[in-house]
């Protein structure tokens, strides 16, 4: 048995890839040979990201567009197809979170989170899949969350969207598997990113909670996602469809442990 993890010549679009976990996954695909296309919506962040990719000898093709705008998505992907080529791998990573108690959350803010975290993966997937169907192959990877399975205080909109994204992943897999398109998801746990840096210090209650709650006893490193995204983007996963792989250090596998155990 020789599983093929080679991505050379494959064109991969990663949304929200100007920083954080999106950038880490995009780099992993590029290092495996994929031709990288990255999406963002802020010019300044895009410029900084291009420099960071270049520092690792990665040529990233940048495209600024709003993933929640179907017209903008269609125009951008048409342009990508003309300028770079037809997309073989799509990673729907762009997302947002608002931490507001449910009793206090404005319905418009709730809709905004759902629009970015759930509706946009549908919009982008639908457009990309039209070409994938024509080509008889494709990989779509939706970035879900542990909140696809669990609730947590103040993240009702995010959890609702990520739970919906899990089921959207399964439904798209159901509809598109016959075209040799594999649709799967990744559910990251708690990762050491720039955004979590302020709370990843000894003695901080949330840091202590995560370290104690995670069987692996640590925060995830962004590079820990690389193997999973490469696997799901490669021919090695050709008979896997509709699955969510949780990269969480084991959090979802346990109810936790008493303090001091």
């Amino acid at each position: 048995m020789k599983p093929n993890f080679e991505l050379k010549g494959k064109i991969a679009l990663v949304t929200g890839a100007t920083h954080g976990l999106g950038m880490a996954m995009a780099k992993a695909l590029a290092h495996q040979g994929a031709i990288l296309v990255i999406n963002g919506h802020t010019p300044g962040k895009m410029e900084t990201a291009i420099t960071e990719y270049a520092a690792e000898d990665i040529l990233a093709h940048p495209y600024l567009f709003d993933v929640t705008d179907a017209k903008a998505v269609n125009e951008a992907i048409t342009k990508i197809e003309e300028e770079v080529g037809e997309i073989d791998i799509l990673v729907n990573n762009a997302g947002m979170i608002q931490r507001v108690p449910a009793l206090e959350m404005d319905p418009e803010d709730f809709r905004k989170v759902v629009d970015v975290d759930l509706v946009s993966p549908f919009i982008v997937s639908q457009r990309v899949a039209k070409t994938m169907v024509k080509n008889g192959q494709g990989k779509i990877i939706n970035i879900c969350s542990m909140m696809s399975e669990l609730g947590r205080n103040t993240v009702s909109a995010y959890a609702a969207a990520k739970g919906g994204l899990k089921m959207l992943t399964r439904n798209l897999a159901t509809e598109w598997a016959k075209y040799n398109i594999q649709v799967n998801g990744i559910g990251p746990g708690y990762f050491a990113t720039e955004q979590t840096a302020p709370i990843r210090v000894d003695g901080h209650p949330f840091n202590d909670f995560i370290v104690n709650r995670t069987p692996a006893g640590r925060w995830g490193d962004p590079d820990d996602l690389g193997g999973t995204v490469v696997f799901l983007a490669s021919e090695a996963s050709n008979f896997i469809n509709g699955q969510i792989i949780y990269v969480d250090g084991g959090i979802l596998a346990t109810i936790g442990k008493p303090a001091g155990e």
Side-chain angles (χ1 to χ4, degrees), residues 22 27 33 51 66 71 73 84-87 100 111 143 147-148 151 165 183 191 199 205 209 226 242 245 248 258:
K27 287 180 178 179
T51 301
D66 180 357
K71 183 174 183 291
V73 167
V84 184
E86 295 179 338
I87 295 164
V100 182
R111 289 190 183 96
I143 305 307
M147 298 304 108
S148 297
L165 185 57
V183 186
F191 278 76
I199 61 176
F209 169 74
I245 300 177
D248 66 356

Side-chain angles (χ1 to χ4, degrees), residues 90-111:
L90 167 64
V91 181
N92 282 309
N93 168 75
M96 68 172 295
I97 188 169
Q98 288 196 17
R99 294 178 176 87
V100 182
L103 285 175
E104 301 170 16
M105 190 165 205
D106 188 293
E108 286 307 309
D109 289 334
F110 190 99
R111 289 190 183 96

